[in-house]
Amino acid sequence: MVSVLRDDEVERALVIVAHPDDAEFWAGATVAMWAARGVEVSYLVLTDGDAGGVDPATDRGDIPRIRRAEQHKGASLLGVRGVEFLGRHEGELQQDLALRRELVRVIRQVRPQRVITWSPEWNWARFRTSCHVDHRATGELALTAVYPDAGNSFAHPALARDGLEPWTVSEIWLLSSPQPNHYVDVTDFFEHKVRAVEAHVSQVGHRGSMAASLRERIAPNTAAAGLPPGRLAEAFQVVANR
Ligand SMILES: [Zn+2]
């Protein structure tokens, strides 16, 4: 197992994801636990999830507003302090210097010890997650923004001119990695995750209670984490930035 910071060594954490609901589905209980322990957690959501929704009666022009509101609600149920959106279109994220500079800007503003983001790798065990171009693109953008960009005082001089000092993130926690190396026992915060996922009504409202499917989704992590039956865990690949 990888060595990770203790939660009391982390003042701030930044979650960089592609779509409203990514954070809740993949790390909602961990985020709730960190927030309860006093970590100041904030989100950076790169798109408005404007290709989402399941109800054909919804005006497509309303989707960004709906999904932003759902993201704010889900995040607040977990104790997240703030959510920033970059408003890019779903399905169109790619390696783009201007977008990466936006990520560096937010990293230098928030100054997190920890960043959660998508793994940029394919995970064949989770095809429908890693085949989403936005997830892999977000992972690569965020990792490059963490290193070398955010900590390099000579990178992105326009940010330095705005007074944003270099910042070194200590560790990155990757979602949907094909090689998880760290499990968080989130049993006590699982109900927070369920409520936060259910806040994304446009995505899951037609499915009724999400408790059973979310439990089933993370059930394999229990044995992988070496936890006794009945406990629940979220899985990450933690990468130290050193
Ligand atoms: Zn997503």
Side-chain angles (χ1 to χ4, degrees):
M1 286 289 154
V2 66
S3 138
V4 299
L5 295 173
R6 297 188 318 269
D7 290 346
D8 64 8
E9 296 176 303
V10 177
E11 290 176 76
R12 293 171 301 279
L14 175 63
V15 182
I16 303 175
V17 285
H19 312 118
D21 82 13
D22 285 350
E24 285 72 33
F25 266 108
W26 286 85
T30 298
V31 164
M33 190 171 81
W34 290 353
R37 290 177 175 176
V39 178
E40 192 174 311
V41 185
S42 51
Y43 285 4
L44 176 62
V45 184
L46 305 196
T47 81
D48 290 334
D50 49 315
V54 294
D55 181 357
T58 306
D59 185 325
R60 299 304 303 170
D62 288 341
I63 295 285
R65 179 188 54 75
I66 291 169
R67 297 209 67 188
R68 285 190 183 208
E70 291 170 349
Q71 178 63 99
H72 279 297
K73 181 165 184 207
S76 72
L77 289 168
L78 300 175
V80 171
R81 299 284 184 94
V83 182
E84 183 169 350
F85 295 91
L86 293 184
R88 296 293 179 118
H89 289 300
E90 178 170 353
E92 298 182 11
L93 292 182
Q94 53 187 322
Q95 302 316 305
D96 158 342
L97 183 57
L99 179 55
R100 203 169 85 219
R101 187 177 297 120
E102 286 301 290
L103 271 61
V104 175
R105 175 182 63 78
V106 175
I107 290 168
R108 289 187 183 180
Q109 286 170 334
V110 174
R111 302 166 74 83
Q113 287 79 24
R114 267 185 197 148
V115 162
I116 291 182
T117 193
W118 283 109
S119 169
E121 287 191 79
W122 285 91
N123 180 355
W124 294 113
R126 288 280 194 175
F127 175 68
R128 286 192 173 191
T129 300
S130 61
C131 77
H132 203 308
V133 63
D134 291 342
H135 294 170
R136 284 176 287 115
T138 298
E140 188 163 346
L141 285 160
L143 286 165
T144 309
V146 165
Y147 186 86
D149 291 16
N152 178 359
S153 56
F154 304 115
H156 305 290
L159 298 178
R161 285 196 293 275
D162 289 343
L164 291 170
E165 300 286 336
W167 178 257
T168 300
V169 174
S170 301
E171 60 190 24
I172 306 113
W173 291 41
L174 300 175
L175 306 173
S176 190
S177 166
Q179 49 220 349
N181 61 4
H182 185 64
Y183 295 89
V184 179
D185 181 340
V186 295
T187 314
D188 297 341
F189 291 88
F190 179 70
E191 284 305 317
H192 290 70
K193 177 189 180 95
V194 172
R195 285 198 295 278
V197 168
E198 288 175 352
H200 295 276
V201 175
S202 69
Q203 306 304 298
V204 302
H206 61 295
R207 293 169 62 177
S209 171
M210 291 296 293
S213 69
L214 289 172
R215 186 177 289 271
E216 188 180 334
R217 188 185 170 95
I218 61 173
N221 295 340
T222 301
L227 292 169
R231 305 299 291 179
L232 293 168
E234 287 176 334
F236 302 90
Q237 181 186 357
V238 178
V239 178
N241 178 21
R242 59 176 178 264

